[in-house]
Amino acid sequence: MIFIAIIIQLAGLALLYRSWCTPNRKSGTNAAAWLVLITALWPWQQAVGLEYGIAFWCVAIPLIAWVFVVNNREFRNRTTPPRIRKHAWPEKKQTVHAVLKILITGPVALLASFVCASFLSAAAYRGAGLAEANHLVLNLSLLLLFWAVIIYWVTAKPLRWQSTSALLTFAIGGSFWLYG
Amino acid sequence: MAFLKLSTHTIKQSLSAHSSLALTTAALLYLICLTGTLSVFFEEFERWEQPNIEEYLDYSPNQIQTAIQHFQERVSEQPKTLWIVLPTKAVPRMHVSGDGQEWFINADGSLSEPPLEAWTTMVTKLHMQLHLPEDIGFILVGIMGVILCSLIFSGLLSHPNLFKDAFRWRLGRPTLAQVDLHNRLSIWALPFFLMIAFTGAFIGLMGLFSVIAGTAFYDNDNHALLDAIYGGDPVISEAVPNLDFDNAFKILKTTVPDAVPIYLAIQNINTESQYFEIAATLPERLIYSEIYRFRADGSLINHQRLSDGEAGRQIAYSVYRLHFGHYASFWVKLVYGLLGLALTIICASGINIWLARRKFESVLNDLWVAVVWGLPLSLTVAALLSFYNWPPLRVFGITETIVMVLALAMKKPFKTRGILMALLVMSLLAVALTRTLHRLNEATPAIFPGVNASIVAIAFVLGIVLYRHIHLKVNAR
């Protein structure tokens, strides 16, 4: 069964590669390729169970895909011109800004994420009657997701006092709801 | 697909966020990824580091009783919980521990040497807590997991051609090859990297979460919160004085024939409330184990419902094996090792690309070479000198500092890289050779030559990379 699963995944990726090689990639072929790839989940879970099956399916994709990537490698020889050495210190601006943003907004972002995650998981807890363990694990999972998104959002946007104070107000307001 | 098209502004902002986040955390993330890749094989490294320990798969309740008796004779104070780690296929050794005191158990139940706290422990501790105090270290590594998630999001949004170029790998031009390598490795193993980042953050930040959520929902009682997730302990009174493991193992075999016991924990030993737990793995399950609780007389109390309880509990207890790749067979570890190496290469190549695009060189180029090649070199030198009882963490720190100073003094990152690679190849070969010579006339487990051969193979691959590196320089001239 494992062999069948690998063959199906190989077929799916081959289809994806074939579609990729044509000048005008057809979305139909791409969709079919992904469908074949997803189909491989079935023999995987038949062979090793649902949990291992999903994990094996996930880790098999990069290993098979790299066979096609290596097969498709191309050589473009050109020597790089030597680079000038500047007696300059590291570009402080970008790094310092990023560090400052993370330092300033990191704990605020954590609190804001926790407020959001607690609100949503509490709603699911009360609304859908979630069990306590499910409620807490959902809370932590959402917290991690929101925190990662807020870190991205904060680092992507220029640091402005309006957005920072909005985040701060939300975090403090939410803390009153949680801890007040 | 037009609705999925991102604006140039969003792409620019995402790229800025991607590089800012990466620049801020690159060295730490690289260290965590590198040590994480090595930590996947910590069981093999432990056996390789201490090959003289008796190995066996069969054990008996009598042997456990004898070991406990010997343990109690050796310690001055009885621990609250006594752990007996049972032999498994991955680690066919047995050891007993409690309150920080630990010894391996011989086949006859007598106690052998204490487990070596040397290089492998240093590497795993570096990965899990960066050798900082436990609470701070775990949180910091957990935050790195969150930042890795952020880097994945920003990477996806800042590379609009990521899917379009899914099979392209242009070699020959160093920077272009690095760009393609970075993007191809990232996109194909994306679900795996997201899983690693999420589970890493989950493990690292569970402690912090228990504090902030415990304060909010459980009146500062974070133990109550952890009990709600993982299940609480049973309350026992008037326990019999003798522990009947034989009966417990028999009951476990009848109740759950597929369960494979991995450890045994005796709680409140020698008190009226004593009981014991047998943790066992279940086939085709990612949960670390199911925990079966037994009264002192060996009768079953209950199980912790980690395998069949609420989904949240099962998820919370599945993140460990999923993160470390310790499930199914050794092949899973190998795949995790390869993908972990891929993530390490992504960290290194990302900064390499950023440095190459600057068109000039500065101190950062020197420092980055010292990080990328200096860290594996320092880890290898630490392993080598640990055979002569040098403290591995100190050796690691000193070597890395020397490498940094050397790189800054040379101001020639290309040359520094070559030297560090050559030193790494030599020290890897020295590790394998020294280890083999040290144990030449002793019986060693099968894993011992296997690990040595793997180290030689890695040195060989690095030798090829070094040859190409030198060749590249000759071509450039």
Side-chain angles (χ1 to χ4, degrees):
Chain A
M1 217 34 139
I2 291 177
F3 185 68
I4 294 170
I6 292 171
I7 292 292
I8 294 175
Q9 265 181 305
L10 192 68
L13 279 162
L15 210 57
L16 207 59
Y17 179 65
R18 218 182 123 187
S19 143
W20 184 85
C21 284
T22 52
N24 296 314
R25 284 160 214 169
K26 286 177 186 160
S27 47
T29 323
N30 275 345
W34 280 107
L35 205 68
V36 174
L37 271 177
I38 293 166
T39 311
L41 268 169
W42 185 78
W44 270 125
Q45 65 90 24
Q46 282 289 311
V48 288
L50 184 68
E51 293 177 11
Y52 285 7
I54 295 171
F56 286 6
W57 181 83
C58 272
V59 297
I61 288 181
L63 298 181
I64 300 170
W66 261 88
V67 176
F68 292 100
V69 174
V70 172
N71 184 49
N72 192 51
R73 73 196 183 280
E74 49 186 288
F75 287 89
R76 293 185 180 187
N77 260 328
R78 198 184 73 182
T79 49
T80 352
R83 285 184 284 163
I84 312 146
R85 189 172 181 94
K86 266 190 183 177
H87 287 284
W89 282 101
E91 292 69 6
K92 276 184 200 158
K93 206 178 159 190
Q94 199 174 12
T95 318
V96 169
H97 270 206
V99 172
L100 274 178
K101 275 179 183 179
I102 291 174
L103 283 182
I104 297 168
T105 52
V108 183
L110 166 67
L111 208 56
S113 318
F114 181 57
V115 170
C116 272
S118 298
F119 180 76
L120 287 177
S121 59
Y125 182 51
R126 289 190 191 119
L130 278 189
E132 211 163 357
N134 296 346
H135 159 227
L136 292 167
V137 171
L138 179 69
N139 193 331
L140 176 55
S141 307
L142 288 174
L143 160 70
L144 298 177
L145 178 74
F146 292 148
W147 200 7
V149 171
I150 295 177
I151 288 176
Y152 159 69
W153 179 70
V154 166
T155 9
K157 305 274 175 195
L159 197 62
R160 291 206 184 97
W161 72 268
Q162 292 102 318
S163 49
T164 314
S165 52
L167 189 69
L168 195 68
T169 314
F170 176 74
I172 294 172
S175 304
F176 273 112
W177 168 66
L178 280 172
Y179 299 102
Chain B
M1 293 296 252
F3 65 97
L4 281 176
K5 214 166 181 184
L6 298 165
S7 71
T8 324
H9 184 64
T10 312
I11 295 168
K12 257 187 172 173
Q13 283 194 332
S14 301
L15 194 61
S16 152
H18 192 64
S19 45
S20 299
L21 276 172
L23 284 173
T24 319
T25 55
L28 209 53
L29 215 51
Y30 178 78
L31 175 67
I32 294 171
C33 291
L34 180 68
T35 49
T37 306
L38 292 170
S39 298
V40 171
F41 303 101
F42 85 91
E43 292 171 331
E44 286 72 24
F45 282 128
E46 274 178 356
R47 290 171 68 194
W48 168 77
E49 226 176 4
Q50 212 172 359
N52 52 325
I53 303 299
E54 220 175 308
E55 295 200 340
Y56 48 88
L57 279 168
D58 297 323
Y59 55 89
S60 65
N62 276 347
Q63 181 193 4
I64 296 172
Q65 292 281 15
T66 317
I68 293 172
Q69 207 178 329
H70 285 299
F71 180 88
Q72 288 175 328
E73 281 163 15
R74 278 204 193 179
V75 295
S76 50
E77 211 171 302
Q78 294 305 319
K80 192 172 175 281
T81 308
L82 198 142
W83 308 85
I84 311 264
V85 178
L86 302 168
T88 55
K89 274 183 191 160
V91 189
R93 299 172 170 194
M94 203 164 152
H95 60 100
V96 56
S97 69
D99 279 351
Q101 303 194 75
E102 200 168 355
W103 287 279
F104 281 111
I105 304 169
N106 293 323
D108 61 358
S110 62
L111 299 190
S112 168
E113 292 174 27
L116 207 61
E117 286 220 351
W119 183 77
T120 311
T121 315
M122 191 267 291
V123 172
T124 49
K125 261 190 159 180
L126 209 50
H127 176 68
M128 291 190 299
Q129 60 188 79
L130 301 164
H131 280 276
L132 294 169
E134 209 172 280
D135 294 337
I136 301 167
F138 267 100
I139 291 171
L140 193 58
V141 175
I143 291 173
M144 285 295 140
V146 175
I147 289 178
L148 185 56
C149 286
S150 260
L151 278 167
I152 294 171
F153 298 153
S154 56
L156 269 176
L157 294 174
S158 60
H159 296 85
N161 291 338
L162 212 52
F163 291 100
K164 205 173 131 191
D165 292 340
F167 292 101
R168 179 167 285 165
W169 194 15
R170 291 158 295 184
L171 296 163
R173 297 185 203 169
T175 312
L176 203 57
Q178 294 250 7
V179 170
D180 281 353
L181 183 71
H182 181 83
N183 294 346
R184 290 311 80 77
L185 285 175
S186 309
I187 195 65
W188 284 114
L190 183 91
F192 176 81
F193 297 148
L194 258 179
M195 178 277 287
I196 286 290
F198 179 80
T199 49
F202 194 101
I203 297 166
L205 295 173
M206 179 51 98
L208 179 69
F209 176 75
S210 74
V211 173
I212 56 171
T215 314
F217 309 127
Y218 289 87
D219 286 335
N220 287 328
D221 186 0
N222 52 348
H223 287 291
L225 179 137
L226 292 173
D227 283 352
I229 297 177
Y230 297 105
D233 294 332
V235 181
I236 303 291
S237 57
E238 294 172 22
V240 294
N242 293 326
L243 296 161
D244 193 345
F245 300 122
D246 196 17
N247 192 24
F249 279 117
K250 272 180 192 157
I251 290 175
L252 184 64
K253 191 78 197 157
T254 333
T255 327
V256 200
D258 289 336
V260 179
I262 53 168
Y263 72 83
L264 205 147
I266 306 157
Q267 307 286 0
N268 314 320
I269 193 162
N270 292 341
T271 65
E272 283 203 336
S273 56
Q274 72 173 346
Y275 66 96
F276 61 93
E277 299 166 323
I278 298 177
T281 53
L282 297 173
E284 298 179 356
R285 295 302 308 269
L286 284 168
I287 48 159
Y288 187 77
S289 66
E290 177 57 272
I291 296 175
Y292 300 91
R293 281 92 167 248
F294 295 88
R295 287 183 192 85
D297 63 5
S299 58
L300 183 69
I301 304 169
N302 59 16
H303 64 281
Q304 211 167 315
R305 310 215 59 181
L306 296 161
S307 60
D308 57 359
E310 293 150 10
R313 182 173 296 176
Q314 295 186 43
I315 292 168
Y317 219 50
S318 295
V319 291
Y320 303 96
R321 288 196 185 277
L322 205 50
H323 185 80
F324 288 102
H326 287 192
Y327 56 92
S329 69
F330 181 73
W331 287 104
V332 175
K333 281 189 191 178
L334 272 185
V335 174
Y336 266 63
L338 278 176
L339 294 175
L341 188 65
L343 190 54
T344 315
I345 293 172
I346 290 169
C347 285
S349 56
I351 301 298
N352 285 347
I353 296 163
W354 182 83
L355 290 171
R357 282 189 176 153
R358 294 191 313 163
K359 312 277 185 215
F360 67 91
E361 287 178 351
S362 72
V363 175
L364 269 188
N365 294 68
D366 307 317
L367 287 174
W368 186 240
V369 168
V371 167
V372 171
W373 293 101
L375 287 177
L377 175 67
S378 309
L379 287 171
T380 317
V381 173
L384 182 65
L385 295 182
S386 72
F387 305 147
Y388 300 98
N389 299 325
W390 287 51
L393 184 62
R394 212 170 292 171
V395 175
F396 169 76
I398 292 169
T399 315
E400 184 54 29
T401 312
I402 294 171
V403 168
M404 290 258 183
V405 173
L406 179 89
L408 287 173
M410 281 184 63
K411 287 184 183 167
K412 282 178 184 155
F414 192 85
K415 202 174 175 183
T416 315
R417 187 183 153 197
I419 293 172
L420 293 177
M421 280 170 87
L423 286 173
L424 179 60
V425 171
M426 284 191 283
S427 51
L428 280 169
L429 290 173
V431 166
L433 192 71
T434 315
R435 205 74 196 121
T436 312
L437 290 176
H438 266 189
R439 305 279 166 181
L440 206 56
N441 298 321
E442 289 174 35
T444 51
I447 197 82
F448 187 80
V451 174
N452 282 333
S454 308
I455 293 171
V456 173
I458 292 167
F460 179 71
V461 173
L462 281 171
I464 295 171
V465 179
L466 175 65
Y467 172 77
R468 288 172 69 100
H469 179 78
I470 296 165
H471 189 67
L472 194 72
K473 192 181 180 182
V474 173
N475 269 0
R477 272 177 188 162

